[in-house]
Amino acid sequence: MASDKIATGRQRISISGIAEKLAPRRLSRQIMVGHVPIGGGAPISVQTMTTCTTADVDGTLQQIAEVTAAGCDIVRVAVPSQDDADALPSIVARSPIPVIADIHFQPRYVMAAIDAGCAAVRVNPGNIKRFDDRVSEIARAASAAQVPIRIGVNAGSLDARLLAKYGAATPEALAESALWESSLFEEHGFTNLKIAVKHHDPLITVAANRLVARQCDYPLHLGVTEAGPVVQGAIKSSVAMGILLAEGIGDTIRVSLSASPVEQVKAACQVLRSLGLRAPKLEIVSCPGCGRLQVDIHRLAAQVEAAFEGFPYPLRIAVMGCVVNGPGEAREADLGVSSGNGKGQIFVRGKVVKTVAEGQIVEALLEESLALVNRDRIESSRSSFHDYP
């Protein structure tokens, strides 16, 4: 299909066929988080974190199943208690995607996570008790098990020594913390590391990651910490990640929203698709609405979105409501509708195929989408047959 062209390297082929290039990807060393490669040119992966108590094994696995279905590659679970640590072996054994244990305050849970078979362990040096004194022990255990360590530095839990030095969680403070703690592992010959430096301010997050990217070759996990509710958080995260990814910085991402893990994954996947860094899925283009409208475009767009929920083919559907941009956008999409006066013109790959009553628009789009997919399959099959030597 025309809309099935996906990212190749750092080049994105848009539906109109125009190549849009991002900066060359920063080449980091590669680590393996379970079966998922991170860095070293591997595809940028999506992460999220479960929100139920990890000791609730069934609840945690249910959430993991849901985020996996939404496109998540790696999942993180919190381990604040012994009960949570005790639940890890069962969760790891039954999870369809790699599980990272998120450890704060108690270094003994790092050892428990490694023993449980977690694919990686996240540590926050700024709030783990006596962390510097336990690096040697952690490095030996992680090395023996071939488990990567993610050093996660957050503005809200920065090492007190660096807060005193810089007076605030500045980009320089965040970068120095991450690189200092990395050096402690390096002293013990351990370099199976991933770094994350996060701040609630997108621009500080960008500046801190730029500093780290210039000073090491470890893979970087991107995110804006405590980004906020859905709209605010998605925008802040998209700004920071969009800048960094366009510069070639970043190997794995998480969009941290005050929303369900599934919504976080959907937002992260959309960030990557918007940059051509993940294979496209169904995309709905719709107008915001204005005084020219003769249709309830918000309701119509919502109905189309609901009708195509889970549609597995990467079509672009334009849902438009007036004669100014409507016909043009509808022609540019795989499928489209230009609505008004109680009717809708249905477009398929640039041509009007029918006009239907407003109440039949959604049904007509579904019908034409299935017909289009079937035609593309037949054409693809014929092409493959004729190309056979």
Side-chain angles (χ1 to χ4, degrees):
M1 283 182 276
S3 62
D4 202 16
K5 294 177 180 177
I6 61 173
T8 304
R10 297 295 290 172
Q11 179 168 298
R12 178 182 185 270
I13 305 301
S14 68
I15 292 173
S16 61
I18 300 173
E20 301 167 355
K21 293 186 177 179
L22 305 179
R25 179 93 173 266
R26 168 185 174 265
L27 186 60
S28 72
R29 66 181 68 195
Q30 187 171 100
I31 66 171
M32 295 297 298
V33 177
H35 64 270
V36 178
I38 305 294
I44 295 167
S45 59
V46 168
Q47 300 187 25
T48 190
M49 192 169 182
T50 57
T51 56
C52 59
T53 302
T54 303
D56 176 4
V57 173
D58 290 340
T60 299
L61 287 168
Q62 177 62 36
Q63 282 197 344
I64 291 175
E66 291 169 356
V67 300
T68 301
C72 189
D73 302 300
I74 299 168
V75 67
R76 188 154 40 109
V77 299
V79 188
S81 74
Q82 188 61 51
D83 287 343
D84 298 315
D86 292 341
L88 288 176
S90 181
I91 292 169
V92 169
R94 296 161 61 187
S95 173
I97 56 176
V99 175
I100 297 177
D102 190 79
I103 311 296
H104 296 264
F105 305 116
Q106 292 294 343
R108 71 176 184 272
Y109 297 146
V110 176
M111 313 308 290
I114 293 172
D115 291 341
C118 288
V121 177
R122 182 273 177 109
V123 296
N124 188 334
N127 62 16
I128 284 190
K129 297 177 181 177
R130 302 182 304 280
F131 179 81
D132 295 359
D133 299 334
R134 302 292 295 273
V135 169
S136 175
E137 178 187 2
I138 292 171
R140 281 196 306 271
S143 181
Q146 297 185 318
V147 172
I149 299 290
R150 170 185 153 188
I151 295 175
V153 177
N154 280 4
S157 51
L158 188 64
D159 190 301
R161 293 167 293 186
L162 290 165
L163 273 176
K165 177 179 178 179
Y166 288 97
T170 64
E172 294 77 13
L174 294 169
E176 184 173 328
S177 175
L179 295 169
W180 165 251
E181 302 300 346
S182 299
S183 73
L184 295 180
F185 280 97
E186 292 165 356
E187 289 175 1
H188 298 282
F190 188 86
T191 57
N192 194 9
L193 298 170
K194 176 175 63 175
I195 290 178
V197 286
K198 297 183 179 182
H199 197 283
H200 64 266
D201 184 321
L203 297 182
I204 293 178
T205 297
V206 168
N209 277 278
R210 285 172 174 163
L211 288 172
V212 174
R214 288 198 293 265
Q215 297 179 66
C216 73
D217 68 348
Y218 292 120
L220 301 182
H221 171 72
L222 304 183
V224 175
T225 190
E226 287 90 41
V230 173
V231 174
Q232 173 183 295
I235 291 172
K236 289 170 67 174
S237 298
S238 298
V239 167
M241 293 178 190
I243 292 171
L244 290 167
L245 292 170
E247 294 177 0
I249 297 172
D251 302 288
T252 179
I253 66 172
R254 179 196 178 192
V255 175
S256 299
L257 305 175
S258 297
S260 75
V262 169
E263 294 305 312
Q264 296 179 24
V265 171
K266 288 180 179 178
C269 288
Q270 190 56 49
V271 169
L272 296 181
R273 291 190 187 105
S274 296
L275 293 168
L277 296 172
R278 180 165 280 216
K281 273 194 168 183
L282 181 102
E283 177 187 7
I284 296 176
V285 176
S286 59
C287 61
C290 70
R292 291 188 298 266
L293 291 183
Q294 296 175 332
V295 64
D296 185 346
I297 197 66
H298 299 160
R299 180 163 83 64
L300 179 58
Q303 288 174 337
V304 173
E305 183 179 33
F308 281 86
E309 177 71 27
F311 193 79
Y313 304 102
L315 299 181
R316 185 170 185 240
I317 302 176
V319 181
M320 307 301 293
C322 83
V323 297
V324 176
N325 294 318
E329 287 288 353
R331 280 193 296 268
E332 288 297 314
D334 294 298
L335 293 170
V337 59
S338 181
S339 315
N341 292 322
K343 297 180 289 186
Q345 282 189 317
I346 305 298
F347 290 74
V348 177
R349 297 263 166 85
K351 296 180 179 179
V352 177
V353 297
K354 64 176 71 169
T355 299
V356 300
E358 183 177 320
Q360 297 175 318
I361 288 175
V362 176
E363 180 182 351
L365 288 174
L366 279 170
E367 179 181 306
E368 294 299 332
S369 69
L370 295 174
L372 179 58
V373 168
N374 285 333
R375 287 199 299 273
D376 283 340
R377 280 177 165 172
I378 292 170
E379 290 174 9
S380 177
S381 176
R382 287 173 177 167
S383 175
S384 298
F385 175 79
H386 290 302
D387 290 343
Y388 193 83

